[in-house]
Amino acid sequence: MNRSKAAGLPRRGARLLAGVLAAGTVVVGAGTGTAAAAGPGGAGSGSAGACAGSGPLPRACAQPGDLIDVTLGELHPTQAVLGFDQVFYKLGRYGSDRDEAAGGFNKRFDDWCETNGQGEAASVSPGARLDDPASFTCTVPLGQETGKSIAPMKTAVIGPGGKLYLTDGHHTLTSFLEGPDGSARLPIRLRVTDNFSSLSTAAFWQRMTAGKKVWLRDENNRPLGVDQLPDRLGITHFRDDPYRSLVYFTRDIGYEVPDGATEFLEFSWGSWLRGKHDTSAYDLTSPGPYLDLVKSASKSMAALDADAVVDDGKTAGQLGRIAEWNGGKKETGGEFAKLSKPLTDAKPGKLAESLAYKATVGRAPACTTRITGVRNGPLIVTDGVTCVDRAALRGPVTVRAGAALVLTGSTLEGPLQSDRAAAVRVCGSGITGPLVIGRTTGTVRFGGPGCTANEVTGAVVLTGNTGGVQLAANTVTGPVACSSNAPAPENTGRPNEVRGPRSGQCAGV
């Protein structure tokens, strides 16, 4: 087998790929070769014959260190929570023209190149998009990767049936998906850390849990079952943990990411901070109070002894506790000063950019009724706010005057119709049937900031809504017709993919 090694990666082989990998496959080495069959460690389920020969190989043949080409829609999360404010920083930066105005490239191209094992952006054509890698180049060409360029890549485990389980990079890849040119089809490479495809589902999760490759706690640090993990990426499918965001903003102020950092390091810090600082006592939409919290939390982290246990047996030293708060600098200097810069600064801080984007994210109305699981038959929402979360609805849905519907991460087989509703919000869902939304007095959201795009098979008709309509980044197989909405529907800079005629106010959305 033609196999090369890269420094700093698992000894069993970091194979450098000689070209763009075919989606859903693994290429071994730079030419022909054979991949090892499953060994006693449980890695790999392909037979010697299936993993022999030249060209693309099944994912079950992948070994630790392999770089595999995937799309975002194929990935299964191994955590149920994100720090939304970290994602909001990325999205604010990705949607800004500040980098270009300063003579550089938009940060999302640098981030994609780094995540793909290719350094940073080298050139970006006008109109370049992440979903078209031919429209930009990276400083490290494919096939010339090094240990240094591969080290920042995100990681995955091959599970039963060849499914891909993301173990690092949930925030970054969610930001790509929710960004200006994001979609489930966006390509990226990941580094395989383990192949457990030969295991049963039960044995797989036992192995993942024993190896601490899954984070089974919710946004309140309560235990979760594996059945409560999201089944795909997208901010809508996760829960928001403010402590995870807090840890992100303390980076290089209260802690530094150590060499060889384990998965979920930031969650360990968040678990510890939860018992020391109450995020609910601070206004996390305002820079001043948020910075006060960051300063207090990071000083607590830096003050720990290196051998103090932080979480699950890990010590502060192992988790990267910084030797001196803010690198030994006063708060008017160092990383804390950078974080503190306002949005009006030529180089605003991460917190300011995060909060500016956060202000564009409409809050869903508070639920009065919740529906989960499978529901057969008609659903009629007559009053209050009905929230449908990770459910499968089979039958028509009707929203009456004054009532509200929030459909999240669900499927609907049947029409959705509302007239004079208080609000309609559909995020990260799949709908087979027409959507007819008229005369809504509050907001109508189908995608947009904080609301993962949807897939609709059927007509979309929006008429006479007066509370604002966002129709962004959705895939619609059918006609889209909009009229008499005040204001007119907007796509927030993320056009919809419509496989059918568009008319009226939605002709250009």
Side-chain angles (χ1 to χ4, degrees):
M1 183 188 324
N2 184 4
R3 174 180 293 181
S4 58
K5 314 266 183 171
L9 295 177
R11 190 164 179 262
R12 283 196 286 172
R15 300 184 190 128
L16 303 181
L17 305 186
V20 178
L21 304 179
T25 63
V26 177
V27 174
V28 180
T32 61
T34 54
S45 63
S47 65
C51 296
S54 62
L57 301 174
R59 284 216 174 107
C61 300
Q63 295 296 302
D66 280 341
L67 311 184
I68 61 173
D69 200 39
V70 305
T71 60
L72 298 186
E74 298 177 84
L75 303 177
H76 296 267
T78 54
Q79 62 192 57
V81 295
L82 294 176
F84 281 11
D85 290 347
Q86 176 178 342
V87 176
F88 292 160
Y89 156 65
K90 295 272 191 179
L91 293 176
R93 188 77 178 269
Y94 293 172
S96 167
D97 61 0
R98 176 167 65 83
D99 296 325
E100 294 91 331
F105 305 129
N106 187 279
K107 180 175 171 57
R108 71 186 191 277
F109 295 103
D110 283 333
D111 287 354
W112 189 95
C113 288
E114 179 182 73
T115 303
N116 213 51
Q118 294 184 259
E120 57 188 20
S123 67
V124 177
S125 302
R129 296 173 55 88
L130 291 187
D131 55 7
D132 179 14
S135 65
F136 61 95
T137 64
C138 305
T139 54
V140 179
L142 286 167
Q144 298 181 29
E145 298 89 345
T146 65
K148 181 178 179 181
S149 73
I150 290 173
M153 292 182 70
K154 308 310 179 185
T155 55
V157 170
I158 311 293
K163 287 185 177 180
L164 290 171
Y165 290 86
L166 185 68
T167 53
D168 178 46
H170 293 79
H171 289 78
T172 296
L173 300 191
T174 295
S175 300
F176 289 162
L177 188 144
E178 302 287 356
D181 36 23
S183 75
R185 300 185 301 278
L186 196 150
I188 195 69
R189 288 193 305 176
L190 301 177
R191 179 168 58 84
V192 175
T193 61
D194 300 275
N195 186 330
F196 299 148
S197 60
S198 65
L199 301 178
S200 68
T201 298
F204 168 75
W205 285 116
Q206 289 174 356
R207 186 75 171 267
M208 292 286 283
T209 302
K212 302 187 187 303
K213 295 180 180 295
V214 58
W215 184 260
L216 294 175
R217 301 186 203 176
D218 70 6
E219 71 277 22
N220 297 307
N221 212 32
R222 296 175 300 204
L224 290 172
V226 295
D227 60 327
Q228 294 173 285
L229 292 171
D231 62 354
R232 59 197 133 155
L233 293 177
I235 198 165
T236 289
H237 307 299
F238 291 89
R239 310 174 193 195
D240 181 27
D241 182 355
Y243 286 93
R244 178 59 180 79
S245 294
L246 175 60
V247 173
Y248 175 70
F249 292 124
T250 65
R251 186 178 297 178
D252 298 324
I253 302 172
Y255 84 106
E256 299 171 311
V257 178
D259 293 336
T262 58
E263 290 93 349
F264 312 115
L265 175 149
E266 291 87 354
F267 281 115
S268 292
W269 275 119
S271 296
W272 181 81
L273 287 171
R274 194 178 299 273
K276 310 295 180 183
H277 301 272
D278 182 6
T279 58
S280 67
Y282 296 81
D283 179 1
L284 300 185
T285 65
S286 177
Y290 211 139
L291 283 168
D292 288 343
L293 175 60
V294 171
K295 180 166 67 173
S296 179
S298 58
K299 285 190 172 183
S300 296
M301 297 161 77
L304 281 170
D305 290 335
D307 58 357
V309 175
V310 171
D311 180 61
D312 196 26
K314 302 183 185 74
T315 66
Q318 292 172 325
L319 295 176
R321 181 221 61 173
I322 203 165
E324 292 184 86
W325 181 79
N326 196 33
K329 298 179 174 63
K330 296 180 180 179
E331 64 183 70
T332 53
E335 292 300 319
F336 188 80
K338 292 180 183 178
L339 181 70
S340 304
K341 289 184 177 180
L343 197 64
T344 53
D345 194 273
K347 293 184 178 180
K350 291 180 179 179
L351 184 59
E353 294 201 272
S354 171
L355 296 185
Y357 186 89
K358 188 176 187 176
T360 71
V361 177
R363 297 179 68 96
C367 306
T368 58
T369 301
R370 291 184 180 274
I371 295 174
T372 60
V374 177
R375 178 189 173 97
N376 296 310
L379 171 62
I380 301 176
V381 181
T382 58
D383 56 28
V385 179
T386 295
C387 294
V388 181
D389 186 23
R390 297 191 195 182
L393 304 182
R394 298 166 182 165
V397 175
T398 304
V399 187
R400 301 290 194 204
L405 174 71
V406 179
L407 188 70
T408 304
S410 298
T411 58
L412 167 60
E413 297 177 14
L416 169 57
Q417 183 172 5
S418 75
D419 183 36
R420 293 178 293 168
V424 177
R425 183 183 179 96
V426 181
C427 304
S429 296
I431 299 175
T432 302
L435 277 72
V436 182
I437 311 298
R439 298 191 290 180
T440 310
T441 56
T443 57
V444 176
R445 295 284 184 271
F446 289 96
C451 179
T452 300
N454 307 281
E455 294 189 3
V456 180
T457 301
V460 175
V461 181
L462 305 172
T463 306
N465 300 290
T466 58
V469 177
Q470 287 185 355
L471 186 67
N474 304 287
T475 300
V476 181
T477 302
V480 177
C482 305
S483 62
S484 303
N485 298 286
E490 59 174 339
N491 63 17
T492 67
R494 300 186 66 201
N496 300 275
E497 181 180 342
V498 180
R499 301 162 185 166
R502 312 184 197 205
S503 60
Q505 293 173 311
C506 286
V509 172

